[in-house]
Amino acid sequence: MTDDQQIVHGIDRETLAGFAEHAAEDPDAVRLGLGASATYEGTAAHSLAKIDSYQLGGETIARETREYTIPYGGWKEVMEAGGWIGATDRIEPVEAALSALAACINVGITINAAANGVEIERLQTRVRTDFDPAVLFSLAELAEADSVFENLTAEIEIEGPDLDEELIDEWARRAPVYTLVSLGQDVDMSINTPAQVAGDD
């Protein structure tokens, strides 16, 4: 195998194959622990999200260059209509989730393309949905949450020699964020409040 054949999509295929073999033999060694936090900034819908350390095989990996921060908010026109003072545009969390889905679909496709030596000349994924905010604003019951989003679509534009549409579809569905948003997930929600102060008798 020549160097050109060995490196596909910026990945050394031999190293990738070795990593996959190691993952198959010892799944716990490559299991990831991921997380993020968001701190309220004093204006409704505004939070500063932070992403930093993660765990790989039970080991915590932290470094300053992973201390990403994202200022979340909403859409200026919607916030102005709703009474926000000094409304500005910020990334809305739903849009961030959609962009993460689009990017992760690309991850699923390109990692598997690299593993299989499939050349891709161009790849772009567009994700969109229709969003009904009625549940968010308590205009509809929480039980109606499954009607909040409609028409979630992912449009994949891909170019390259000898592409197999069924394989591309399969690789896209292997994307972790696709799994997160398309399959039922149980979220173990815990609420922490300050301890109640006992009143004087």
Side-chain angles (χ1 to χ4, degrees):
M1 183 177 287
T2 67
D3 288 344
D4 288 344
Q5 293 172 317
Q6 181 70 21
I7 298 174
V8 180
H9 303 294
I11 296 176
D12 184 295
R13 293 182 63 203
E14 185 176 336
T15 303
L16 178 61
F19 178 81
E21 184 178 341
H22 175 61
E25 292 173 355
D26 188 1
D28 288 340
V30 296
R31 189 174 300 276
L32 293 162
L34 309 175
S37 64
T39 303
Y40 175 56
E41 295 182 295
T43 296
H46 281 202
S47 288
L48 185 65
K50 183 178 180 181
I51 301 165
D52 49 26
S53 64
Y54 69 99
Q55 291 186 334
L56 174 60
E59 177 188 349
T60 298
I61 298 172
R63 55 182 170 270
E64 289 184 4
T65 53
R66 290 210 92 254
E67 294 178 0
Y68 306 116
T69 56
I70 306 163
Y72 282 120
W75 310 276
K76 179 181 179 183
E77 293 77 9
V78 173
M79 298 179 89
E80 284 178 339
W84 271 258
I85 308 302
T88 58
D89 270 315
R90 281 188 171 195
I91 298 171
E92 208 286 330
V94 172
E95 294 171 316
L98 294 175
S99 70
L101 174 58
C104 201
I105 286 173
N106 287 354
V107 169
I109 293 171
T110 54
I111 285 179
N112 284 282
N116 290 278
V118 174
E119 182 181 346
I120 295 174
E121 296 169 352
R122 178 179 177 274
L123 171 62
Q124 184 178 60
T125 300
R126 291 186 179 90
V127 175
R128 73 166 311 279
T129 190
D130 295 321
F131 169 49
D132 181 352
V135 171
L136 170 64
F137 288 103
S138 296
L139 303 175
E141 296 297 322
L142 186 56
E144 297 178 47
D146 61 355
S147 66
V148 168
F149 295 103
E150 293 181 353
N151 307 318
L152 179 59
T153 60
E155 180 184 349
I156 299 166
E157 294 181 7
I158 186 168
E159 296 175 11
D162 304 319
L163 295 174
D164 182 324
E165 287 188 21
E166 288 186 8
L167 265 183
I168 300 301
D169 181 80
E170 177 192 323
W171 294 345
R173 293 174 192 276
R174 291 183 180 276
V177 178
Y178 177 89
T179 301
L180 184 67
V181 302
S182 67
L183 302 179
Q185 304 289 329
D186 291 326
V187 179
D188 184 5
M189 189 89 67
S190 62
I191 311 297
N192 301 312
T193 59
Q196 295 262 340
V197 177
D200 294 334
D201 290 335

